[in-house]
């Protein structure tokens, strides 16, 4: 089977979309020799060197013995939304794909079955947290994409229910394919590497960590207020470090942080290679998101041995699997109290670390790829 994947997100800064694309690619290529698969990445531009950790570069390279086939096909034009409507279907024909794998919006017509991944429906469930233009585009294209797709996948049972609530015509073609944590996320033991990351981002000795795009549904404002409610001694001993690229409607966060004082710090975007060190250095990871279709950062933190405080909202109880301390994200006092408990109660910390490690071990991209492959085989058998 030749699987062509829309790989444009692999050339962009870390987002959930890129993490899922990268995970599926790695998982499928590891299965490809036994399952007789060929994976073709369709992109607009050359991809960063060594991005997948599979080849020195991604392309038509000489592969080491036993390494599965992985190809790159460039389809540079047209740009923007027209790329999916014109360039991707043309590329599917050129690479003789048996099935195409995309995220969200798909083409009007394609020479092979298309499987799309919908991570959530936040633009429908919480429209006030989503840019108006993007919301209009998704509302225009998603119903038709679902109708034309041979199958639709999503990462959690919660997201499955949300998709069916907003798009009931997805019934019968919707499959849950849980996402996973990359093996690169593990406790970092190299002290020199840890100190380099600490110096680069001017990190204090002890801190609470938040990771994610700065946007309303991540509830960063609520986290800052919860930090402000900690006892003065805890704020003196532990900073709040907020990591992530600037998103939509986040301009008020620096001002809110200044009201708290010097304890709140923003690092900006942090590259994938440095995130495991950041998680390892953190005393606690806080993720009080209001809405997630899956929510990868809590599992990444667990894999790095960091105790997690997260949210009772949306998919997060399902994803964290009993391995995090969960609170109502709208209850700032409860969030503050939960963070304080993790910082002060050693027995609770150790329990969360042990449970987190076990949970992270359950979520591998190879397992995700096996579940995805079942869907791909089903739709290609029906052609």
């Amino acid at each position: 089977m030749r699987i062509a994947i829309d790989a444009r997100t692999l050339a962009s800064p870390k987002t959930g979309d890129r993490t899922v694309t990268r995970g599926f690619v790695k998982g499928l290529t590891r299965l490809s020799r036994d399952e007789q698969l060929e994976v073709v990445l369709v992109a607009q531009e050359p991809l960063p060197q060594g991005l997948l950790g599979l080849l020195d570069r991604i392309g038509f390279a000489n592969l080491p013995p036993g390494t599965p086939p992985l190809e790159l096909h460039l389809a540079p034009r047209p740009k923007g939304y027209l790329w999916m409507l014109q360039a991707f279907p043309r590329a599917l024909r050129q690479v003789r794909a048996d099935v195409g794998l995309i995220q969200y919006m798909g083409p009007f017509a394609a020479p092979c079955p298309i499987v799309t991944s919908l991570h959530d429906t936040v633009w429908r469930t919480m429209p006030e947290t989503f840019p108006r233009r993007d919301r209009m585009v998704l509302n225009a294209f998603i119903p038709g994409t679902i109708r034309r797709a041979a199958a639709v996948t999503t990462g959690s049972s919660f997201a499955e229910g949300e998709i069916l609530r907003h798009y009931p015509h997805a019934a019968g073609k919707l499959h849950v394919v849980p996402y996973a944590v990359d093996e690169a996320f593990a406790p970092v033991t190299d002290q020199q590497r840890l100190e380099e990351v600490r110096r680069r981002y001017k990190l204090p000795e002890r801190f609470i960590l938040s990771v994610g795009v700065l946007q309303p549904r991540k509830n960063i404002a609520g986290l800052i207020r919860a930090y402000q409610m900690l006892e003065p001694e805890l704020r003196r001993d532990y900073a709040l470090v907020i990591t992530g690229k600037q998103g939509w409607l986040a301009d008020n966060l620096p001002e809110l942080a200044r009201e708290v004082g010097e304890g709140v710090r923003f690092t900006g975007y942090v590259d994938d290679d440095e995130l495991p060190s950041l998680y390892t250095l953190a005393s606690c990871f806080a993720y009080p998101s209001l809405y997630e279709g899956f929510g990868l950062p809590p599992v990444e933190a667990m894999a790095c041995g960091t105790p997690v405080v997260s949210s009772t909202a949306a998919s997060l109880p399902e994803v964290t699997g009993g391995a995090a301390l969960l609170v109502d994200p709208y209850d700032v006092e409860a969030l503050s109290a939960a963070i304080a408990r993790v910082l002060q109660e050693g027995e609770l910390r150790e329990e969360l670390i042990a449970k987190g490690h076990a949970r992270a071990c359950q979520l591998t991209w190879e397992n995700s790829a096996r579940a995805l492959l079942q869907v791909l085989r089903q739709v290609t058998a029906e052609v």
Side-chain angles (χ1 to χ4, degrees):
M1 181 192 302
R2 255 174 104 72
I3 306 167
I5 300 176
D6 173 7
R8 290 173 296 165
T9 61
L10 295 180
S12 63
K14 177 183 170 68
T15 61
D17 291 353
R18 189 184 91 163
T19 300
V20 170
T21 300
R22 176 175 171 166
F24 280 155
V25 170
K26 292 183 77 170
L28 288 170
T29 51
R30 286 174 180 170
L31 298 178
S32 61
R33 184 168 58 177
D34 292 339
E35 300 289 347
Q36 297 183 324
L37 308 177
E38 296 175 344
V39 178
V40 182
L41 307 181
V42 182
Q44 284 183 307
E45 57 189 272
L47 301 177
Q49 184 174 355
L51 178 66
L52 299 178
L54 295 171
L55 304 173
D56 290 335
R57 65 183 180 86
I58 300 173
F60 298 97
N62 294 322
L63 304 178
T67 303
L70 179 66
E71 301 175 5
L72 173 67
H73 179 88
L74 293 181
R77 292 183 178 81
K79 302 287 186 181
Y81 294 119
L82 286 177
W83 188 90
M84 179 55 72
L85 300 180
Q86 298 178 14
F88 190 63
R90 184 169 60 244
L92 293 175
R93 189 173 296 105
Q94 290 171 342
V95 303
R96 301 183 305 282
D98 295 306
V99 62
L101 189 60
I102 63 171
Q103 296 184 47
Y104 293 99
M105 298 184 303
F108 293 137
C112 63
I114 296 291
V115 174
T116 185
S117 296
L118 298 183
H119 309 317
D120 56 49
T121 57
V122 64
W123 70 92
R124 294 290 302 273
T125 306
M126 300 181 71
E128 72 280 3
T129 69
F130 213 81
R132 182 174 181 273
R133 179 175 179 271
D134 293 346
R135 192 167 69 238
M136 291 175 62
V137 170
L138 288 168
N139 282 333
F141 282 92
I142 290 299
T145 296
I146 292 174
R147 194 172 295 109
R148 291 185 295 272
V152 179
T153 67
T154 193
S156 68
S157 296
F158 168 80
E160 177 188 35
E162 290 286 276
I163 293 168
L164 290 174
R165 181 162 70 93
H166 293 293
Y167 303 105
H169 63 291
K173 60 171 65 176
L174 181 57
H175 307 264
V176 176
V177 177
Y179 303 147
V181 59
D182 193 273
E183 65 270 17
F185 289 94
V188 177
T189 57
D190 185 337
Q191 292 301 312
Q192 181 177 350
R193 181 178 166 193
L194 290 174
E195 288 308 311
E196 286 175 356
V197 170
R198 191 188 296 278
R199 284 195 302 270
R200 182 173 297 115
Y201 296 103
K202 299 181 174 62
L203 300 174
E205 186 64 28
R206 296 189 290 184
F207 60 92
I208 304 151
L209 178 65
S210 168
V211 172
V213 177
L214 305 186
Q215 55 179 297
R217 68 185 173 97
K218 301 299 182 182
N219 197 24
I220 303 301
L223 177 58
I224 293 173
R225 293 189 182 98
Y227 176 75
Q228 187 176 22
M229 295 178 66
L230 291 174
E231 293 293 330
E233 294 80 6
L234 280 177
R235 291 204 309 275
R236 184 172 58 247
D237 291 342
Y238 295 91
L240 173 60
V241 174
I242 299 170
T243 292
K245 69 178 184 177
Q246 185 78 7
W248 186 65
L249 292 181
D251 294 341
N252 67 317
L253 295 179
E255 181 179 349
L256 183 60
R258 283 193 292 271
E259 294 176 8
V260 177
E262 297 181 356
V264 182
R265 310 183 185 190
F266 295 88
T267 68
Y269 174 77
V270 172
D271 190 74
D272 280 7
D273 293 340
E274 296 175 324
L275 273 177
S277 295
L278 207 63
Y279 284 125
T280 300
L281 289 167
S283 302
C284 170
F285 180 72
Y287 198 76
S289 180
L290 305 177
Y291 186 94
E292 296 291 333
F294 190 84
L296 285 163
V299 187
E300 293 173 349
M302 291 175 181
C304 294
T306 309
V308 173
V309 174
S310 191
S311 166
T312 56
S315 67
L316 289 167
E318 175 185 350
V319 171
T320 55
L325 188 59
L326 302 182
V327 296
D328 180 347
Y330 294 98
D331 189 337
V332 177
E333 290 186 12
L335 176 58
S336 183
I339 292 171
R341 286 191 62 197
V342 172
L343 297 178
Q344 293 177 311
E345 299 179 20
E347 188 173 334
L348 175 62
R349 284 179 54 80
E350 294 305 315
E351 178 185 349
L352 291 174
I353 290 170
K355 288 183 175 179
H357 173 74
R359 177 56 176 160
C361 288
Q362 295 172 348
L363 299 171
T364 70
W365 282 114
E366 189 167 334
N367 288 341
S368 296
R370 289 188 190 281
L372 176 63
L373 185 56
Q374 289 183 354
V375 177
L376 301 184
R377 290 205 185 282
Q378 177 182 323
V379 301
T380 53
E382 294 171 353
V383 175

